[in-house]
Amino acid sequence: EIISKLVETAGTLSKGRRKKPLPEGLATLDDLKSNYTLKGKFPLHATSGPQRGITCLDTDGCVGGGVVTGGADGKFKVFDTSANKAASEAVKAHAKALTSIKLLGGQDSPLDLVGTCSADKTCKVWKSGGENTKGANTYDLLYTLDDHLEEVVGLDRQACGDYLVTFGREGSWIFYDLHEGLKLNTTTT
């Protein structure tokens, strides 16, 4: 059942890509350089000490959507670009630096689910849990995936939206049910 769903989704997406023409009036590099303005400045991750800087980021792919950043400090932060503000305070996600981060979408908003990977050999999935007293979104841990032998270096959501795959430094890919966090299969290279 899973394989047929993956094959069907891949076929549908593949057909759509072949027919998709480039939009008329596609912006040139010079247009992009001259049309962007600074929208705001947002405090990010630690900027001093050994655990500083952004190590990964993801966007939801929509104009005016969201951006999520992960840092060497083991935290992630979500930004709502349509509201031009930080949508969450920094969330302490892992004991070590984040290696990959992904907006996994959700029923109500593309910012509802966040996936994080770390040098601590785990991947975690977080769900928006409402607002705190400052009006920022809080994120609650849904589950932790700890099946890799070495650091987890990447994750992605399968296009149909039901599956998650993580990538380990040891060369394995592990497929999970996104909604339940259940391990479905491991592939090694």
Side-chain angles (χ1 to χ4, degrees):
E1 177 188 342
I2 293 171
I3 298 298
S4 63
K5 189 171 189 176
L6 295 176
V7 170
E8 180 183 334
T9 301
T12 302
L13 291 174
S14 182
K15 288 176 188 172
R17 286 185 190 116
R18 288 186 198 120
K19 297 177 185 175
K20 191 185 277 187
L22 289 176
E24 288 187 35
L26 188 64
T28 65
L29 181 59
D30 290 333
D31 292 337
L32 295 176
K33 287 180 181 178
S34 64
N35 290 330
Y36 280 97
T37 58
L38 179 65
K39 290 289 209 174
K41 295 181 180 178
F42 307 101
L44 295 173
H45 299 272
T47 56
S48 62
Q51 293 184 324
R52 63 177 185 263
I54 295 173
T55 56
C56 49
L57 72 94
D58 187 36
T59 66
D60 73 353
C62 299
V63 176
V67 174
V68 63
T69 60
D73 54 6
K75 298 177 181 177
F76 73 87
K77 195 161 185 177
V78 179
F79 299 90
D80 182 345
T81 56
S82 62
N84 213 18
K85 68 173 188 159
S88 76
E89 294 183 358
V91 177
K92 182 66 175 171
H94 294 270
K96 294 186 177 182
L98 270 67
T99 54
S100 184
I101 195 156
K102 187 77 173 172
L103 287 168
L104 299 171
Q107 292 181 341
D108 300 323
S109 163
L111 309 181
D112 279 351
L113 284 179
V114 174
T116 59
C117 295
S118 172
D120 67 8
K121 304 178 186 177
T122 65
C123 176
K124 297 182 180 185
V125 175
W126 305 82
K127 181 169 178 47
S128 178
E131 291 185 353
N132 64 14
T133 56
K134 297 178 183 178
N137 287 347
T138 60
Y139 282 85
D140 301 319
L141 179 64
L142 277 181
Y143 51 80
T144 300
L145 307 170
D146 59 0
D147 298 305
H148 285 282
L149 302 175
E150 295 183 27
E151 71 181 75
V152 186
V153 296
L155 79 157
D156 206 350
R157 180 179 58 97
Q158 202 277 336
C160 71
D162 293 331
Y163 307 105
L164 178 71
V165 61
T166 59
F167 312 99
R169 173 88 51 214
E170 75 277 4
S172 67
W173 298 14
I174 303 178
F175 293 86
Y176 298 92
D177 178 297
L178 176 61
H179 308 292
E180 302 294 325
L182 298 174
K183 181 178 170 181
L184 301 172
N185 193 17
T186 301
T187 302
T188 56
T189 56

